[in-house]
Amino acid sequence: MSGELRVLGACPLDCPDTCSWVVTVEHGRAVKLRGNPDQPYTRGALCVKVNRYLEHTQADDRILYPLRRTGPKGSGQFERITWDEALDEISVRLRGIVEEHGGEAIWPYLGTGTLGYLQGCEGVAGRRFWNMLGASKHWLNICSAAGSSGLYRTNGTAAGMDPENFALAKLILLWGTNTLTSGHHLWKFIQDAKANGAHVVAIDPIRTRTADQADEHLAIRPGTDAALALGLLNVVLAENAQDEEFLAEHTEGWEDFRQEILKYPVETVAEITGIPAAAIHSLGMRLAHTRPTAIRSTHGLQRHAGGGTALRTIAAIPGVTGDWRHPGGGVAYSTSGHVHFDIDRREDLLAKPVRTLVMSKLASQLDDVKCLWVYAANPVGSTPDANTIRRQLAREDLFTVVMEQFPTDTVDYADIVLPATMQTEHHDLHAGYGHLYLLWNEQAGQPPGECLSTTETFRRLAAHMGMTEPSLFDSDLELAEQLLASGHPSLEGITLDRLRKEGWVRMNYPKPFTPFAEGFPTPSGRLRFPPAGQAYIPSYTARNGRSALTLITPASHTFLNTIFGNNPELRRRAKDPVVLVNPADAAARGLVSGQRVRVHNDGGEFLADVEVSDRVAAGVVASQKGRWPKLSPGGANPNAVVAERDGDMGKGPGFHDNLVELSPWS
């Protein structure tokens, strides 16, 4: 390769925007990366994190060769070995585990380090290989499972409105989402709406940078979102502003749900949510009389005991107001349900049914696992009950393989480390969960050292183990062709050749797209309101009257989950960990800004510096997620105080259901 080339690709990271990017390649080496100015959603802009992606691929601490552990587990002491040595040892160990304990003793632990349909979690990379061994299945519940389950119960799908239609809205509720940090490309469409007179309300326990830019901020008490939704609808009913025609034609269970709404007058909801009654009434009046209303809800608000119910109830709002019939109206949580690839997980390769292990239950479900295979994940830094996970990973009878790019905390516990490619070094197929575009990522350069893609690693391992099933050796391009061959109308005319040439293509959905104007993908074709007797606020009920502080752990502006947690410049910008504390709570504990404290409960502790701030309400403290524990003060991050527990739906984890105390550190 010589001269200069422009290679079209896509950001693989766990963000709704899934940006289209352009890599400049000179003499075979990627030298520049920027957002694609021709793609309608990216519009040439990348985030502060991904702007450093190319630099990150060339970092000094990149893992370039297979490694074998030489020291105690957790020490991070390794020696370089060849790929043949690594595959030999892995093959022997996997065969032995299957023979002695059965295939279900193997846990393929796949995370959201890449959302690729070839290399990452969206297509369940490696599943064909694991099925040949009879390995346990993996339930990737850690991000959005509770909310998705709640939306499915209401709408029949977690898919909702086209985020681009926010430009058409007259009232926008940013509910539990910090758009300018987590998915900032939506803000352009919100700005278009504001220019046309839209009113923007941020509903968030923290006054985020997004809340600063909104017209109004409602500081809701964590875990009370369903109650607020009912209180707003109570005002709608008082105004007789429900859309009776839409209710009659496109919903079911309305009368029971109406009776539930009547149990939540504004004054009651104010006591539950901590939001002044006047503010709830004012927003309820806007909701009653403003069409279209667009609601953006993301993952933070569903990471508590009532997370599924919260999204289920929020999704009911446009069913009552009839906003689904209007372009620019409805709820946007995820667009993934509008993607209709043919994902064949080859269940036929399983000799018998196997169990499913739950991602957020790693600490408790590892007991009878003999091989943990971690890829695109850093569970020591991102999974509940981190201290128990460390103890489990230190077991000598647990064979741990980690496919990674950098020496994370999880890598430190590996027996074998396999060097993994990064996005500019392999092919992949993507579909954003915050827009309606498909994107192709063309390989822009050769991998450094001996790094291999996920697909190539499993192809080589299958060959090394003597497997002959033809589908295990499908090339990346063949896999992409299979995904695109579903025959769904949304993919008509979208071929791999076209994607490779153009880089991105909008799926075949109209503009504007009103997905449920004429019905819902439920058995009855109708929106299903929550049933009578639904428990709407379990988190609030469980902690009501307790004096401990509620800890929430929002996304960082500089890290994405734990990705970039080792980047020197982004770490410099992030500074030391901070915990936001309301002035009243700080005064009650004798704490001042800049003071280092232990944030602790019965599960563990982490260290952070106090920032006394009215950005959080009394009773709430906040500290950002995403730091590597070993690069944090005290060697822990907030997951040390997060207990393993299931939410109400989808086995969603309770990252924001944690009561803590703050004590001076010395």
Side-chain angles (χ1 to χ4, degrees), residues 74 111 295 432 515 544 630 632:
I295 303 173
N544 192 21
K630 67 180 178 180
S632 301

Side-chain angles (χ1 to χ4, degrees), residues 1 15 34 195 215 241 351 422 457 460 534 573 596 600 657:
M1 186 182 292
C15 166
R34 66 188 181 102
D215 297 302
M422 295 179 70
T457 297
R460 292 195 186 188
Q534 177 74 55
R573 295 185 189 185
R596 182 152 291 181
H600 60 94
D657 253 353

Side-chain angles (χ1 to χ4, degrees), residues 171 199 201 216 281-291 293:
L171 175 62
H199 185 80
V201 182
E216 191 178 351
H281 184 266
S282 174
L283 181 55
M285 292 291 288
R286 286 187 184 274
L287 178 63
H289 300 293
T290 308
R291 305 277 77 76
T293 290

Side-chain angles (χ1 to χ4, degrees), residues 171-489:
L171 175 62
I172 294 175
L173 307 186
L174 300 175
W175 202 321
T177 181
N178 184 6
T179 303
L180 289 173
T181 285
S182 302
H184 73 91
H185 291 81
L186 179 64
W187 194 254
K188 300 181 181 74
F189 301 98
I190 294 171
Q191 286 179 312
D192 291 342
K194 289 185 72 171
N196 289 320
H199 185 80
V200 179
V201 182
I203 303 170
D204 199 300
I206 308 172
R207 195 172 75 246
T208 62
R209 63 180 64 214
T210 300
D212 284 339
Q213 297 299 315
D215 297 302
E216 191 178 351
H217 171 225
L218 302 185
I220 190 170
R221 184 174 286 133
T224 65
D225 303 275
L228 178 58
L230 293 168
L232 295 175
L233 288 175
N234 190 284
V235 179
V236 172
L237 290 187
E239 289 292 295
N240 197 31
Q242 65 272 19
D243 188 328
E244 294 287 2
E245 182 181 354
F246 192 85
L247 287 166
E249 293 181 1
H250 298 301
T251 73
E252 61 185 57
W254 167 236
E255 189 52 42
D256 284 344
F257 187 55
R258 180 178 175 277
Q259 294 303 316
E260 293 292 333
I261 294 169
L262 295 176
K263 297 175 184 177
Y264 287 83
V266 167
E267 293 74 15
T268 299
V269 172
E271 293 177 6
I272 294 170
T273 62
I275 301 170
I280 297 172
H281 184 266
S282 174
L283 181 55
M285 292 291 288
R286 286 187 184 274
L287 178 63
H289 300 293
T290 308
R291 305 277 77 76
T293 290
I295 303 173
R296 174 66 164 166
S297 288
T298 52
H299 302 158
L301 70 85
Q302 50 93 64
R303 289 178 176 149
H304 59 75
T309 297
L311 264 297
R312 183 177 192 176
T313 312
I314 290 169
I317 292 174
V320 176
T321 62
D323 270 295
W324 283 121
R325 71 163 78 244
H326 304 290
V331 176
Y333 179 73
S334 170
T335 56
S336 294
H338 295 307
V339 180
H340 295 280
F341 287 148
D342 185 8
I343 302 176
D344 185 357
R345 295 181 172 87
R346 293 302 305 271
E347 299 289 314
D348 59 302
L349 300 180
L350 283 167
K352 63 181 180 64
V354 297
R355 66 180 178 176
T356 297
L357 299 172
V358 180
M359 186 177 195
S360 64
K361 293 293 190 71
L362 180 64
S364 62
Q365 293 189 345
L366 264 177
D367 289 346
D368 62 350
V369 171
K370 299 302 179 182
C371 172
L372 179 69
W373 188 292
V374 179
Y375 51 128
N378 180 17
V380 175
S382 59
T383 306
D385 201 355
N387 293 327
T388 301
I389 289 172
R390 288 179 183 275
R391 290 193 291 271
Q392 287 274 32
L393 293 183
R395 287 168 32 205
E396 285 299 327
D397 69 324
L398 179 66
F399 179 55
T400 302
V401 179
V402 180
M403 298 164 65
E404 248 298 351
Q405 302 147 355
F406 296 99
T408 66
D409 293 81
T410 304
V411 163
D412 289 347
Y413 287 87
D415 294 290
I416 298 290
V417 182
L418 301 178
T421 49
M422 295 179 70
Q423 186 75 345
T424 53
E425 302 154 6
H426 57 228
H427 294 316
D428 214 339
L429 179 62
H430 290 267
Y433 63 89
H435 57 62
L436 296 176
Y437 297 89
L438 305 183
L439 303 97
W440 175 255
N441 184 76
E442 188 75 14
Q443 182 176 336
Q446 292 302 308
E450 296 177 5
C451 297
L452 294 181
S453 67
T454 302
T455 48
E456 181 60 20
T457 297
F458 284 117
R459 284 191 286 261
R460 292 195 186 188
L461 182 56
H464 213 83
M465 294 187 70
M467 296 180 179
T468 57
E469 162 58 39
S471 68
L472 297 176
F473 305 100
D474 286 347
S475 70
D476 290 354
L477 300 185
E478 288 172 326
L479 292 169
E481 294 274 17
Q482 293 163 20
L483 286 162
L484 291 166
S486 71
H488 192 272

